Amino acid sequence: DTASLTGKDLAAALNVETTARAQALTEQIGRAPRLALIVANDDPASAWYVNSLKKSAANRGIDCDTVDLGADASADTLRTELSVRSADPATDAIMLQTPLPAGVSLDDVSPAIAATKDVDGVSPLSLGLLTAGSAGFAPATAEAVVELLKHHGITLEGRHVAVVGRSNVVGKPLAQLLLAENATVTVCHSRTTDLPAVTAAADIVVAAAGRIGLVTGANLGPGAVVIDVGTNESADGSIVGDVDPESVRGTAAGLSPVPGGVGPVTTALLMRHVVIAAEQAGRTADTAPA
Ligand code: NAD
């Protein structure tokens, strides 16, 4: 039987801890940890996600300050907002929603986010710190994959993990996190010549390509563990992953569901990062010269 590697229990446990830490910090510094959520699009999926982040923040005792700069905001406007928030002692954490306005790339603007506040690890500095194995925030989705595997007792050390996708937000940082766990990592992408051969040889397959039905049971070795990161809108409007669950059931040892797998853990880790950023800012303020 294929085990369902759900993220709900792990997310709930993380949320209990985050809520307690947020409360303790609020008592200590006299205000709640504060997240600035910067939006510059009119994308419905993004609006849905922003709403769910606001709700999670409220439930954890985190202030969420949403700043909508409009879908036609310029790179300069975005950089200015991110710089102001980076310098603002009342802002502990910054998240920049995607998509960005047409013609603005994440690389254009993300360097303006202070690494200490970059709770979704999107800036080149954050990605570099992660690659170097230094302190910093990893992108929450990538971290969620590793935490989900550990939560379900799946060993990473020495095992072969195939990561399908090489984006700066999921595939690349995930490869770094897996290396830090002593896994052997193969990163696949749209120009990989024989994807099924690579995934079939892996102990663990992580699908993060944004392509419905990319990974099927026929592409897996016996007893493989599969983590589905994909979130795609299917023809009937429901959200489906990159993995074909029917064909994988029976072949795989475990499969994370979409929804209910990586997603809830991602949100829980983001909120944990906000509280950690606020705790660290509090410590810095305590030790700053008068
Ligand atoms: P992206 O479009 O930036 O990158 C996709 C990657 O997949 C690219 O590196 C590309 O080379 C690779 N790819 C595309 N088609 C392929 C193919 N046929 N074979 C092999 N590789 C292929 O996407 P992203 O931002 O990295 O997100 C990936 C998926 O994860 C999307 O479905 C996204 O919605 C989802 N996502 C989920 C969460 C979550 O919390 N659950 C968070 C972020 C992203």
Side-chain angles (χ1 to χ4, degrees):
D1 261 20
T2 302
S4 181
L5 308 176
T6 75
K8 288 180 181 169
D9 291 353
L10 172 56
L14 287 166
N15 285 339
V16 167
E17 191 204 311
T18 299
T19 307
R21 283 169 79 167
Q23 194 186 342
L25 191 67
T26 302
E27 283 163 16
Q28 193 192 322
I29 66 174
R31 66 161 176 84
R34 185 169 299 136
L35 166 69
L37 194 51
I38 316 297
V39 185
N41 65 64
D42 44 26
D43 181 73
S46 164
W48 182 90
Y49 188 54
V50 165
N51 225 2
S52 88
L53 286 173
K54 281 199 225 175
K55 266 190 243 160
S56 308
N59 289 337
R60 306 283 83 75
I62 292 168
D63 278 351
C64 182
D65 198 356
T66 310
V67 184
D68 192 344
L69 298 173
D72 54 2
S74 68
D76 269 340
T77 302
L78 275 156
R79 274 192 294 263
T80 301
E81 182 64 31
L82 295 170
S83 303
V84 167
R85 294 286 174 164
S86 290
D88 171 22
T91 300
D92 300 303
I94 300 170
M95 264 193 77
L96 176 60
Q97 262 308 112
T98 54
L100 293 170
V104 179
S105 77
L106 195 56
D107 291 349
D108 286 341
V109 296
S110 65
I113 306 174
T116 50
K117 301 187 183 187
D118 185 14
V119 287
D120 206 11
V122 294
S123 80
L125 180 54
S126 294
L127 193 56
L129 290 169
L130 180 66
T131 301
S134 304
F137 292 109
T141 304
E143 190 178 337
V145 171
V146 173
E147 293 304 316
L148 191 63
L149 286 164
K150 286 186 183 173
H151 173 75
H152 287 285
I154 293 149
T155 304
L156 287 166
E157 180 156 341
R159 302 187 75 201
H160 182 194
V161 185
V163 176
V164 187
R166 59 168 162 183
S167 74
N168 284 345
V169 288
V170 190
K172 271 190 225 167
L174 175 58
Q176 298 302 335
L177 290 169
L178 291 166
L179 286 173
E181 298 292 332
N182 299 314
T184 301
V185 185
T186 305
V187 183
C188 314
H189 45 80
S190 55
R191 313 236 181 131
T192 295
T193 307
D194 189 353
L195 182 66
V198 180
T199 55
D203 301 308
I204 299 166
V205 175
V206 182
R211 297 282 181 275
I212 296 175
L214 186 62
V215 174
T216 69
N219 312 149
L220 299 174
V225 168
V226 186
I227 302 295
D228 194 350
V229 181
T231 51
N232 312 293
E233 197 176 329
S234 71
D236 68 7
S238 62
I239 298 296
V240 298
D242 289 356
V243 180
D244 173 41
E246 301 314 319
S247 70
V248 164
R249 270 185 207 115
T251 305
L255 168 65
S256 72
V258 177
V262 173
V265 181
T266 299
T267 305
L269 287 172
L270 273 171
M271 296 303 145
R272 176 155 87 164
H273 289 179
V274 174
V275 172
I276 291 172
E279 288 172 350
Q280 288 172 347
R283 268 197 291 281
T284 312
D286 286 348
T287 54

